[in-house]
Amino acid sequence: DQQVKQNSPSLSVQEGRISILNCDYTNSMFDYFLWYKKYPAEGPTFLISISSIKDKNEDGRFTVFLNKSAKHLSLHIVPSQPGDSAVYFCAARPRANFGNEKLTFGTGTRLTIIP
Amino acid sequence: DSGVTQTPKHLITATGQRVTLRCSPRSGDLSVYWYQQSLDQGLQFLIQYYNGEERAKGNILERFSAQQFPDLHSELNLSSLELGDSALYFCASSAGTKTDTQYFGPGTRLTVL
């Protein structure tokens, strides 16, 4: 049962344009969402997060949007740069309490920025 | 650099063997998480320790066990290894508070031949 889904395994975007990565979830108990970026042979690197009490969070070139009614979130990167080429993972977590902080990950989207 | 260290980086072993993966969390972090990433899959949660105590368990096989030591480093023990155990094993750490972020180590690539 895939509770966090990233339906696009890959995405190619021209340098300077906007990259939009999508993520859907099914578990209504998820309360906190994160995006991680992963280069080959490295561990995932935290990018940005959003709590369910918000619908948008921005950090520099990265913005995450959350649509709770649709159980959908997206990561916008603008402008896209060659160094953004990596695999992006969406992750979700239920309301944090004792014993409930594990992350459930999607299968990732490979983003390629074309110079 | 996330501040989380994992050793070894690569491990090649044979079926039936036992291996130990080691993780040192970021300074001050009390929670350690272990995740497994098989080929082209997302990361699957295995187990979490908080300040030396087991806190949560995922789909961890009975052949696998973990512990967290008083200095807060953690070890993941994998025994009676099978070909299907070949994967990337990641450790993450967090402060252990409500909305804290998990920071990941570089991973250990395990190959079982």
Side-chain angles (χ1 to χ4, degrees):
Chain A
D1 176 26
Q2 192 71 25
Q3 297 186 57
V4 178
K5 300 176 187 178
Q6 294 178 257
N7 291 319
S8 299
S10 63
L11 176 68
S12 294
V13 174
Q14 287 285 136
E15 182 179 357
R17 306 293 291 266
I18 184 170
S19 295
I20 300 176
L21 297 100
N22 294 303
C23 178
D24 297 294
Y25 61 96
T26 57
N27 189 338
S28 57
M29 298 301 292
F30 287 147
D31 182 66
Y32 193 66
F33 304 88
L34 307 91
W35 284 94
Y36 285 85
K37 169 181 174 180
K38 187 179 179 306
Y39 293 119
E42 294 184 14
T45 301
F46 170 71
L47 270 179
I48 192 168
S49 61
I50 187 166
S51 165
S52 63
I53 62 172
K54 294 185 172 182
D55 53 19
K56 176 183 174 181
N57 189 25
E58 208 169 340
D59 184 2
R61 297 186 298 114
F62 303 93
T63 303
V64 56
F65 296 91
L66 175 62
N67 182 333
K68 289 186 290 292
S69 60
K71 293 191 176 67
H72 176 85
L73 62 157
S74 60
L75 174 68
H76 293 211
I77 307 173
V78 56
S80 299
Q81 299 174 354
D84 296 330
S85 294
V87 177
Y88 289 77
F89 289 98
C90 170
R93 191 186 71 198
R95 189 179 309 275
N97 55 38
F98 190 84
N100 210 7
E101 292 124 13
K102 68 170 190 176
L103 294 176
T104 300
F105 281 83
T107 51
T109 296
R110 182 178 302 278
L111 175 65
T112 302
I113 305 301
I114 304 164
Chain B
D1 183 359
S2 67
V4 179
T5 60
Q6 288 186 249
T7 56
K9 196 165 176 62
H10 300 279
L11 201 47
I12 300 174
T13 188
T15 54
Q17 296 298 304
R18 172 189 170 95
V19 296
T20 298
L21 313 183
R22 182 188 168 104
C23 168
S24 293
R26 294 187 319 156
S27 177
D29 282 358
L30 299 177
S31 269
V32 169
Y33 310 78
W34 287 97
Y35 292 85
Q36 178 193 56
Q37 184 186 22
S38 300
L39 191 64
D40 291 334
Q41 297 294 310
L43 283 76
Q44 301 292 323
F45 171 73
L46 294 177
I47 197 164
Q48 177 196 1
Y49 276 81
Y50 176 80
N51 203 20
E53 300 288 328
E54 182 185 302
R55 183 142 160 164
K57 241 177 177 176
N59 296 326
I60 187 167
L61 299 172
E62 284 192 16
R63 300 183 285 109
F64 295 3
S65 65
Q67 53 185 349
Q68 186 179 28
F69 294 87
D71 67 351
L72 300 176
H73 91 271
S74 178
E75 293 181 356
L76 179 67
N77 301 296
L78 315 177
S79 61
S80 303
L81 284 168
E82 301 176 358
L83 296 177
D85 297 328
S86 295
L88 275 165
Y89 291 85
F90 290 103
C91 166
S93 76
S94 71
T97 57
K98 273 195 171 181
T99 56
D100 62 332
T101 297
Q102 293 179 28
Y103 293 91
F104 283 78
T108 293
R109 180 175 292 281
L110 173 66
T111 302
V112 183
L113 301 175

